[in-house]
Amino acid sequence: MIQMYNVSKVFSNGVEALNNVNLHVGKGEFVFLIGPSGAGKTTLMRLIFREELPSSGHVIVDGRNIERLSACKVPYLRRSIGVVFQDFRLLDNRTVFENVAFALRVTNAPAADVEKRTRRVLDMLGLGHKKSFTPLQLSGGEKQRVCIARAVINNPSILLTDEPTGNLDPDMSLEIMDILAEINGKGTTLIVATHNSQLVNKMGKRVIGLVNGEVSSDRPKGVYSYS
Amino acid sequence: MTDRVQSLRFHVQEALSGFRQALVMNLATLSTVAITLFILGSFLLFMRNMNENLKVLRSQLQLTVYLKRSIDEADRKSLVKQIESDPGVVSYKFITRDQALQSVREWMGWTDFEVRDNPLPESFDLKLRDGVDFDAFVRRAGAWPGVDDLSVGEKEVGALLKLLDLARSVGLLLVLVLGTASLMIIANTIKLTVYARRTEISIMKLVGATNWFIRTPFLIEGLLQGLTGAAIALVLLLSGYPILVSRLHSIAPFIRLVDEAGALIGLSWQLLAMGILLGLLGSLISLRRIAV
Ligand SMILES: Nc1ncnc2c1ncn2[C@@H]1O[C@H](COP(=O)(O)OP(=O)(O)OP(=O)(O)O)[C@@H](O)[C@H]1O
Ligand SMILES: [Mg+2]
């Protein structure tokens, strides 16, 4: 599903965020991405949905080489990838419902579908009763779930979540992780970047460690350790 | 079909909310566009009227060439050849001294005015081709053999033609400058809206909206500005022009003003088209940088 060959990323300010990364993630896999702050986890995800291009090497997503993808095809790549951002990126002037429906509306989804699918996704994430709130009126965990709702509403084949349990209490973290596992169970390839060692250890999934932009470890049923 | 309608509704809503977010700025832009198009419209009407009046003048564009008294038959013949071979002349008519006297008599109303020694020279009335370089022609004709003098009154027509050419150039320059200015102003206003909506835009991109989908509300905003500006300019012109026509008619009835409906409808289309062009171009300029 996702392949990286000798991928390096050097930002224009000279920071080398990724260095010669080689990586394969198969269809339907559940992968934790761990590593110290600044290791390049977010950068790696941004390469997958082509928010950034690699400085060298190749990134192949679902058979598509992202550096060769023409500009007009990029939106269609992104429709097949859901992203939950570290910093949420919600629209504070729109309701929860509109934030989630936004992803459908701006991709020309059929009008009849928007209402129905948004409602269903919000119910699935336990946000049905908060649908007319704005993000400013929500708790951190609720915002996190709104982000997940927006990321999965297009039925993406890949779900990238960046620190989905940051700032959440252990119970809420576990709840979010259950939701993600459930989505993964339906066949969505899932990548979770996290610093939460307890969760990683508890889930017993594949763990890829990044240190200084390099893959330091890659274990099939790993624990939280990137040395 | 309903999806199209839904999508269009989304875009128009976004465009209108963009307009509201920067109301003062947008109203300022609207006024600039309206003023530009008003001036353009006035200019078009002015030129249209001038051309109309000019057509009349041009059809009267003729020149009288007076012959020397001492001219002999041979010289007269070679002069006729010169006239016939000159590309600036459409037709000519020979006026004998008696005919000249007769027309002066008629013109003065002295039908029984007797002259013993007719002082008038023989002459040729030349009808000139439309668009001929008047000054050059006068210089050329002055050098023909046997020519004594040319009627000077017609020189004013040439001067008028020159003045009109100048007016046209100045008007075009003015319209060009104002057009560019309003283009820039529209582009800037939309750039502000784009800036105000940068979060929305970045999220749209991340969830896979196409570039054209993202651009559409801004194109609609530009289009609305152009069209509304044109509409305001048109209302002002179409209500003001008939008043001008009737005023001018009572002061200077010899000036012919175009006032048939056809001309004004044509003008309306021209201004609306200019408004659409300004609006779309202006927003396209500011949208160049919205890309994946
Ligand atoms: N747009 C950018 N321009 C320049 N440097 C950047 C940019 N984005 C990230 N970096 C740098 O790249 C390195 C990796 O950043 P990245 O955000 O990928 O780390 P991370 O592993 O996600 O960290 P964290 O766990 O804190 O989220 C950092 O040194 C960061 O300063
Ligand atoms: Mg990060």
Side-chain angles (χ1 to χ4, degrees):
Chain A
M1 201 60 167
I2 300 163
Q3 288 128 295
M4 294 197 174
Y5 298 102
N6 307 320
V7 170
S8 296
K9 177 68 190 180
V10 181
F11 284 107
S12 51
N13 60 358
V15 175
E16 192 176 42
L18 290 175
N19 183 16
N20 201 36
V21 171
N22 285 286
L23 196 64
H24 286 243
V25 176
K27 193 166 163 47
E29 261 195 274
F30 188 139
V31 178
F32 280 113
L33 198 57
I34 62 168
S37 201
K41 303 181 294 297
T42 301
T43 307
L44 191 141
M45 292 195 167
R46 290 170 71 197
L47 287 174
I48 295 172
F49 65 97
R50 202 191 176 281
E51 198 180 19
E52 292 286 348
L53 285 171
S55 309
S56 66
H58 297 291
V59 178
I60 292 157
V61 178
D62 203 6
R64 288 172 283 202
N65 191 330
I66 67 136
E67 341 59 284
R68 298 231 189 94
L69 208 60
S70 68
C72 61
K73 293 225 177 91
V74 172
Y76 301 96
L77 169 81
R78 291 187 181 153
R79 287 177 200 187
S80 69
I81 303 174
V83 188
V84 177
F85 301 97
Q86 206 164 2
D87 53 355
F88 302 135
R89 302 204 204 172
L90 293 173
L91 296 166
D92 288 338
N93 55 354
R94 297 183 196 225
T95 62
V96 165
F97 185 92
E98 278 309 316
N99 264 285
V100 175
F102 195 71
L104 286 180
R105 293 200 204 283
V106 304
T107 49
N108 277 326
D113 272 18
V114 174
E115 196 86 358
K116 206 170 56 194
R117 280 166 67 186
T118 307
R119 220 170 278 226
R120 197 193 304 143
V121 150
L122 287 176
D123 285 343
M124 184 180 107
L125 287 157
L127 287 166
H129 60 297
K130 295 271 165 92
K131 69 177 160 65
S132 43
F133 285 45
T134 69
L136 297 172
Q137 300 162 330
L138 298 180
S139 74
E142 286 164 341
K143 276 192 223 172
Q144 197 65 260
R145 280 182 283 157
V146 177
C147 288
I148 296 174
R150 186 181 61 190
V152 299
I153 196 162
N154 262 321
N155 286 322
S157 52
I158 299 172
L159 180 59
L160 308 174
T161 60
D162 201 351
E163 208 64 63
T165 59
N167 298 319
L168 299 188
D169 67 48
D171 283 350
M172 185 60 82
S173 301
L174 213 59
E175 197 181 308
I176 295 276
M177 205 47 73
D178 283 342
I179 293 169
L180 293 178
E182 189 187 328
I183 292 164
N184 170 247
K186 289 177 189 155
T188 304
T189 308
L190 178 65
I191 298 185
V192 182
T194 185
H195 292 295
N196 192 326
S197 56
Q198 266 180 305
L199 272 184
V200 174
N201 294 339
K202 184 175 174 298
M203 300 297 286
K205 300 286 185 184
R206 178 177 172 192
V207 180
I208 297 173
L210 269 186
V211 177
N212 287 330
E214 293 181 38
V215 176
S216 60
S217 64
D218 186 350
R219 300 195 184 89
K221 281 192 194 286
V223 290
Y224 190 88
S225 145
Y226 42 76
S227 52
Chain B
M1 193 54 214
T2 53
D3 295 343
R4 280 278 158 71
V5 173
Q6 182 215 359
S7 166
L8 188 69
R9 209 174 63 195
F10 180 85
H11 287 313
V12 172
Q13 275 168 0
E14 296 288 301
L16 287 179
S17 91
F19 193 94
R20 251 178 271 120
Q21 268 175 5
L23 189 65
V24 176
M25 188 69 198
N26 274 290
L27 287 181
T29 309
L30 202 59
S31 329
T32 317
V33 176
I35 290 168
T36 303
L37 291 176
F38 178 78
I39 292 176
L40 173 67
S42 311
F43 170 67
L44 287 175
L45 270 176
F46 174 76
M47 287 318 286
R48 174 80 204 254
N49 278 310
M50 277 306 176
N51 281 332
E52 210 61 30
N53 282 286
L54 214 65
K55 235 186 256 166
V56 180
L57 279 179
R58 280 229 165 93
S59 68
Q60 295 165 354
L61 195 60
Q62 60 174 30
L63 189 81
T64 307
V65 176
Y66 299 101
L67 305 191
K68 287 191 179 122
R69 283 172 174 272
S70 56
I71 197 163
D72 58 23
E73 197 56 32
D75 279 351
R76 197 181 288 123
K77 270 200 180 126
S78 73
L79 183 57
V80 168
K81 262 196 203 114
Q82 281 273 10
I83 292 173
E84 282 178 341
S85 65
D86 195 286
V89 180
V90 177
S91 61
Y92 66 91
K93 190 174 158 212
F94 182 68
I95 311 284
T96 64
R97 298 175 57 186
D98 285 346
Q99 282 168 337
L101 185 63
Q102 189 54 36
S103 67
V104 168
R105 276 199 187 118
E106 277 166 20
W107 189 58
M108 306 285 258
W110 299 336
T111 38
D112 51 356
F113 181 63
E114 282 299 328
V115 196
R116 190 168 321 153
D117 194 15
N118 182 357
L120 298 172
E122 293 174 334
S123 63
F124 282 101
D125 276 351
L126 308 182
K127 192 154 170 4
L128 301 187
R129 190 168 49 78
D130 211 16
V132 73
D133 182 345
F134 198 83
D135 284 350
F137 183 85
V138 167
R139 252 178 278 125
R140 190 158 72 230
W144 285 340
V147 170
D148 183 39
D149 198 7
L150 302 160
S151 60
V152 272
E154 303 290 354
K155 269 185 188 148
E156 283 147 21
V157 175
L160 193 62
L161 286 179
K162 276 228 168 109
L163 206 67
L164 268 174
D165 277 344
L166 187 71
R168 180 179 294 140
S169 311
V170 170
L172 273 179
L173 195 72
L174 187 71
V175 167
L176 216 65
V177 168
L178 281 172
T180 316
S182 25
L183 210 59
M184 290 303 137
I185 288 169
I186 290 181
N188 252 318
T189 308
I190 289 176
K191 223 175 265 171
L192 279 185
T193 325
V194 170
Y195 183 76
R197 303 175 83 76
R198 62 196 181 285
T199 327
E200 261 102 337
I201 292 173
S202 76
I203 293 172
M204 280 191 192
K205 286 187 195 172
L206 294 171
V207 298
T210 59
N211 276 334
W212 281 112
F213 187 95
I214 295 171
R215 286 179 184 137
T216 306
F218 302 109
L219 285 175
I220 291 178
E221 191 185 335
L223 194 70
L224 284 179
Q225 269 162 357
L227 271 180
T228 320
I232 294 172
L234 265 179
V235 168
L236 291 178
L237 274 174
L238 294 185
S239 57
Y241 186 67
I243 299 173
L244 182 80
V245 170
S246 68
R247 281 275 164 80
L248 212 63
H249 188 75
S250 57
I251 303 169
F254 52 87
I255 296 178
R256 301 163 24 131
L257 284 180
V258 179
D259 62 350
E260 67 266 29
L264 297 181
I265 290 172
L267 179 81
S268 308
W269 284 122
Q270 279 171 328
L271 284 195
L272 287 176
M274 269 309 282
I276 291 174
L277 195 74
L278 278 182
L280 285 184
L281 267 183
S283 37
L284 278 176
I285 289 175
S286 64
L287 293 179
R288 268 174 322 179
R289 271 180 297 167
I290 295 189
V292 277

